[in-house]
Amino acid sequence: MSPILRLLIHRLALSLLVLAGVSILIFFVARVVPGDPARIALGPNAGAEAVEALREERHLNDPLIVQYGWFLRDLAGGDLGTSLYTRRPVLQDIAAYLPATLELVFIAGLMMVLVGLPLGRLAARHQRRGPDHLARFLSVLAVCTPAFVWGVILQLLLAYVWPIFPLEGRLSTGVAPPPDITGLYTVDALLTGQFGTMLNALYHLILPATALALSGIGQSARLTRSSMIETYRKPYIEMARAYGFKEGRIARRYAFRPALIPTLTVLGLDFAAMLANAFLVERVFVWPGLSRYGVEVILRKDLDAIVGVVLVIAAMFLITNLVVDLIVSIINPRLRLAEKRGK
Amino acid sequence: MSSKTSSVALTEFRSNPLSIIGLVLVALCVGLAVFADLVAPYPAHVGPIGDFMAINQAPSAAHWFGTDTIGRDVLTRILYGFRLSLVMAAMVLAISMPIGVALGLMAGYLGGWVEFAIMRLTDVFLAIPPLVLAMAIMGFLPATLTNAMLAVTAMWWPWYTRLVYNVVRSEAREGYVLAAEVIGASPLHVMTREILPNCAPAILTKLTLDVGFVVLMVSSLSFLGLGVQPPTPDLGSMVADGAKYMPDAWWLSIFPALAIMVLVLGFNLLGDGLREAFDAEV
């Protein structure tokens, strides 16, 4: 077996183990807390028999470990339970709300890579001079400002004071959503050739995605800077200078590429942080994503739905990290070479 | 690990302008929070009652940051918001840091199944974005200040465990540890007296950075309506409440938003300065 494949299988197994752990953790936290879920679901006016019937139906009278068994069995069948708030299967609810969140997070992730990495590179090239101080200050500022603060500030400046961007929502009123293929409006509109709708959706994405991306941009710029500075100390950079290569080329070809590997790993973490911060940004921009659902079910103590949302987010987090591992192992020449030698 | 003497670290810290800015901001915020009773122009506005003759006023000489929908002075509430944020951060860290450090020491030094159990548990906690886990915990508990603090504490310790674990792993084979073991020091002694002091710079740096991040987390929870409840003055819920009155009463959310920014920025710059001065891996 090739080393890359073995590494990935190892990582996959570990991720599944962690996901199982997450399910145990969240399941037991949900069950151990005070308050009878059936009573909460039915409200204070429900009769004792109705509460008892629901307890029986949801297996709430069984011992915890048996309840977890039921939970796992349902989970294996893709059943996350029924939301007490929407009265629909939790999975169906999540499938309806998730695409809007994913679209936001993908665009923000794209911004993070396309702005953060070049900014870090610029700072590293001009270490301890003007652009470096500026980039560092900006990235610290970006890192330590919560996404909702960016949201509120951007909204005030670019939607109210200078109304360049739309205030909220995914599309302008009067624009029909594209047919539901992936749930991502931009992609669906593109697939069905509705370019007007696509631009409209993109236009609505810019402000919330920026608010969401800013802290990731700061973090990735910071990291790119520090790992590039480390690479700059390596002898082969000295050699490239001795050959008389231009600084720009040294930065691009020799210092930036190795610096990409540690940065990528952290980008995976940042991407996951965005999934959480999306909750805050969605609230500011009235974005109909997973967070609206998540906060709603949390306020209503809708246990199955809360467990479902947390599990889905944890699963996406683990998937992201697996994908990052895959990319890193593909671009890291050391692993590639090890593979060739293995043959 | 730090190989510098403390005087070198101090000199390095002093020569970095950003660290000094951080120190000044932190001193300012902590000072305002501690002396809020003396500094705040309208200390009575902490509760649910404001001045009904002065509602929704734009910033002026009497109310620097304006007044809210029931006539409370925004500046006053921000100052008390600082106090609440800092107290919450201190309590969260005072509980989660020792737990995390103790687990990290045990996992790193004892190894074996202890290490496996603790580190896999840590992985589980770290696999859920902190805000989401804290939100979920708040979903199962009534939304009160104490519960918000508990929720944040419950997800904060793993970061210290991982940090200390990594430091211990690199220290455990150092000569001074072996020497202590050879003369028959107990594992407890080696962990707490030999290794722990060498984790101190990393822990201190992380603590400083974390004050900012805990403030961020708590205000995010409050922003979503899952943390501090009115009328307690909290920066996150002030931003959320004020956002309803945008753009006319922009001061209601912009000033508390900037206050969060300044507070977190201060601790971040200070923590960054410490990190560079100590050469700590955080």
Side-chain angles (χ1 to χ4, degrees):
Chain A
M1 206 184 338
S2 79
I4 292 183
L5 200 63
R6 198 181 308 150
L7 181 81
L8 282 178
I9 290 175
H10 179 74
R11 286 298 170 91
L12 187 67
L14 213 58
S15 302
L16 285 175
L17 194 69
V18 169
L19 195 60
V22 170
S23 81
I24 294 174
L25 174 73
I26 196 70
F27 178 84
F28 282 98
V29 170
R31 289 300 186 272
V32 161
V33 290
D36 178 355
R39 168 58 70 191
I40 294 168
L42 294 172
N45 298 326
E49 301 96 64
V51 173
E52 193 49 41
L54 188 66
R55 284 188 68 82
E56 202 56 48
E57 186 199 322
R58 294 277 166 107
H59 311 292
L60 290 172
N61 290 329
D62 296 344
L64 267 184
I65 194 86
V66 178
Q67 286 190 39
Y68 183 68
W70 285 110
F71 171 75
L72 277 189
R73 204 204 62 177
D74 290 346
L75 196 63
D79 181 5
L80 287 171
T82 307
S83 162
L84 300 165
Y85 156 52
T86 58
R87 312 255 165 215
R88 291 192 303 177
V90 170
L91 202 64
Q92 200 181 323
D93 277 345
I94 290 176
Y97 287 103
L98 188 59
T101 299
L102 283 184
E103 189 168 35
L104 187 60
V105 172
F106 281 143
I107 298 285
L110 215 58
M111 286 181 171
M112 178 168 87
V113 173
L114 295 184
V115 181
L117 301 191
L119 195 66
R121 200 165 82 185
L122 192 74
R125 258 188 74 184
H126 302 276
Q127 200 190 341
R128 294 192 188 278
R129 277 178 283 150
D132 184 28
H133 287 307
L134 186 71
R136 283 182 80 193
F137 186 77
L138 281 180
S139 52
V140 172
L141 196 67
V143 169
C144 56
T145 306
F148 66 89
V149 168
W150 286 129
V152 168
I153 292 176
L154 287 175
Q155 206 178 38
L156 179 72
L157 292 181
L158 298 177
Y160 282 121
V161 180
W162 299 287
I164 304 170
F165 291 104
L167 192 57
E168 52 190 40
R170 289 180 83 185
L171 289 172
S172 304
T173 25
V175 178
D180 188 10
I181 303 168
T182 57
L184 311 176
Y185 282 2
T186 44
V187 176
D188 289 351
L190 201 63
L191 287 177
T192 50
Q194 301 172 339
F195 294 106
T197 312
M198 196 209 82
L199 288 179
N200 192 284
L202 210 55
Y203 184 46
H204 279 77
L205 271 164
I206 291 177
L207 273 196
T210 308
L212 189 55
L214 273 168
S215 82
I217 290 175
Q219 205 127 16
S220 52
R222 231 167 147 175
L223 210 82
T224 310
R225 173 189 176 273
S226 60
S227 46
M228 262 182 84
I229 285 173
E230 202 139 298
T231 328
Y232 263 122
R233 294 191 191 127
K234 297 265 165 71
Y236 63 80
I237 299 287
E238 203 67 20
M239 194 181 80
R241 285 220 177 92
Y243 273 130
F245 290 165
K246 292 206 174 68
E247 272 304 308
R249 177 172 170 181
I250 294 175
R252 212 168 41 246
R253 303 260 335 235
Y254 301 103
F256 181 60
R257 278 202 193 163
L260 213 53
I261 291 167
T263 311
L264 261 178
T265 315
V266 173
L267 281 186
L269 291 172
D270 278 347
F271 191 79
M274 280 186 184
L275 286 171
N277 284 332
F279 278 78
L280 303 165
V281 172
E282 286 182 10
R283 171 131 179 168
V284 175
F285 291 95
V286 198
W287 195 259
L290 195 59
S291 95
R292 181 190 279 185
Y293 181 69
V295 172
E296 200 64 49
V297 296
I298 284 171
L299 288 175
R300 286 166 199 264
K301 313 269 174 228
D302 190 344
L303 293 189
D304 283 0
I306 299 174
V307 172
V309 170
V310 174
L311 274 183
V312 166
I313 289 182
M316 289 200 303
F317 174 82
L318 292 169
I319 291 170
T320 312
N321 279 323
L322 274 178
V323 171
V324 169
D325 275 346
L326 183 69
I327 296 173
V328 168
S329 58
I330 288 172
I331 66 168
N332 190 341
R334 283 183 207 132
L335 284 173
R336 237 183 4 226
L337 286 178
E339 175 141 5
K340 272 193 197 134
R341 269 189 224 120
K343 271 175 193 165
Chain B
M1 189 39 26
S2 172
S3 51
K4 296 175 185 171
T5 61
S6 48
S7 66
V8 173
L10 187 68
T11 315
E12 197 154 305
F13 180 82
R14 275 205 208 126
S15 68
N16 186 343
L18 288 178
S19 318
I20 301 300
I21 297 175
L23 190 64
V24 170
L25 287 179
V26 166
L28 184 75
C29 293
V30 173
L32 288 174
V34 170
F35 298 109
D37 296 322
L38 303 174
V39 186
Y42 302 88
H45 291 186
V46 170
I49 296 163
D51 177 1
F52 291 105
M53 303 304 285
I55 61 169
N56 280 332
Q57 285 191 353
S60 64
H63 300 280
W64 288 3
F65 291 175
T67 61
D68 65 9
T69 46
I70 51 173
R72 292 178 301 192
D73 183 56
V74 173
L75 175 60
T76 301
R77 293 182 66 76
I78 286 178
L79 295 182
Y80 282 94
F82 273 159
R83 178 184 280 186
L84 182 77
S85 300
L86 289 172
V87 167
M88 286 183 78
M91 293 186 73
V92 165
L93 293 173
I95 303 171
S96 57
M97 187 274 280
I99 296 176
V101 168
L103 289 174
L105 278 174
M106 290 198 295
Y109 186 69
L110 300 177
W113 66 267
V114 178
E115 173 186 358
F116 182 82
I118 293 177
M119 294 323 288
R120 292 296 82 76
L121 187 66
T122 312
D123 286 344
V124 167
F125 273 86
L126 295 179
I128 314 176
L131 181 63
V132 173
L133 184 55
M135 281 174 61
I137 295 177
M138 289 311 287
F140 308 130
L141 299 171
T144 63
L145 203 151
T146 323
N147 286 341
M149 240 158 54
L150 278 178
V152 178
T153 307
M155 31 118 319
W156 216 270
W157 63 267
W159 300 96
Y160 285 91
T161 306
R162 180 179 277 186
L163 174 73
V164 171
Y165 173 76
N166 287 335
V167 179
V168 173
R169 289 285 300 242
S170 67
E171 291 290 304
R173 276 178 218 93
E174 293 287 324
Y176 69 91
V177 176
L178 295 177
E181 286 169 345
V182 165
I183 58 170
S186 69
L188 186 69
H189 176 93
V190 176
M191 280 192 279
T192 55
R193 293 298 171 83
E194 306 292 341
I195 299 179
L196 188 58
N198 281 309
C199 303
I203 295 174
L204 189 70
T205 305
K206 177 135 183 72
L207 270 181
T208 313
L209 288 166
D210 274 359
V211 175
F213 290 128
V214 173
V215 167
L216 219 145
M217 183 67 54
V218 171
S219 57
S220 298
L221 277 180
S222 303
F223 175 79
L224 292 171
L226 299 172
V228 181
Q229 299 298 313
T232 315
D234 173 85
L235 301 173
S237 38
M238 284 170 80
V239 177
D241 294 340
K244 294 176 206 149
Y245 304 98
M246 288 274 250
D248 307 310
W250 54 269
W251 56 89
L252 288 183
S253 50
I254 292 299
F255 286 121
L258 292 178
I260 300 177
M261 222 173 184
V262 168
L263 187 59
V264 184
L265 180 68
F267 280 99
N268 244 283
L269 291 177
L270 181 63
D272 256 6
L274 289 177
R275 175 181 8 218
E276 291 206 352
F278 286 137
D279 268 346
E281 292 274 341
V282 175

